[in-house]
Amino acid sequence: SRKPSVGEGKDERVSGNLMRPESGPVAKGPALAVNLKQKVNVVWFKTTDLRTDDHAALRAAHAGELPFLHLFVFEPLWYEGRTPLGGFPRTGPIRARFQLECIADL
């Protein structure tokens, strides 16, 4: 009889990703597991543009047949320090709260 190889038939962690030998990397979330090689539409929301009503890429991603991912990256540059001219905070507390509310709406 054949001796099973290491990790055969069970999940292994490799570089922080959950690996399944028969299907490749798998991301696990609260709702479902997704094969990481699956194609998806990514809509990248920038700090300076969090529109949803007139966003052509967002509309196209939702209209397509592929699953989609809304992506927003909190860039420390926008929240730390002050502007070179005038020394104003880069993002004040009111703007930061507004951004968080917009992201929650996504």
Side-chain angles (χ1 to χ4, degrees), residues 3-34:
K3 182 178 179 182
S5 63
V6 174
E8 185 175 22
K10 56 184 175 175
D11 296 339
E12 294 180 34
R13 291 214 174 263
V14 177
S15 300
N17 291 327
L18 188 61
M19 295 288 290
R20 296 211 174 151
E22 67 279 2
S23 65
V26 174
K28 287 211 169 200
L32 56 108
V34 176

Side-chain angles (χ1 to χ4, degrees), residues 9-76:
K10 56 184 175 175
D11 296 339
E12 294 180 34
R13 291 214 174 263
V14 177
S15 300
N17 291 327
L18 188 61
M19 295 288 290
R20 296 211 174 151
E22 67 279 2
S23 65
V26 174
K28 287 211 169 200
L32 56 108
V34 176
N35 185 341
L36 291 179
K37 292 185 178 183
Q38 178 181 3
K39 290 184 177 184
V40 297
N41 286 321
V42 176
V43 181
W44 178 10
F45 291 91
K46 296 183 177 183
T47 303
T48 57
D49 187 6
L50 294 171
R51 295 173 296 130
T52 56
D53 291 338
D54 60 344
H55 198 291
L58 179 64
R59 186 176 11 254
H62 284 242
E65 294 185 14
L66 291 175
F68 52 86
L69 171 69
H70 296 171
L71 176 67
F72 178 82
V73 178
F74 284 93
E75 299 176 68

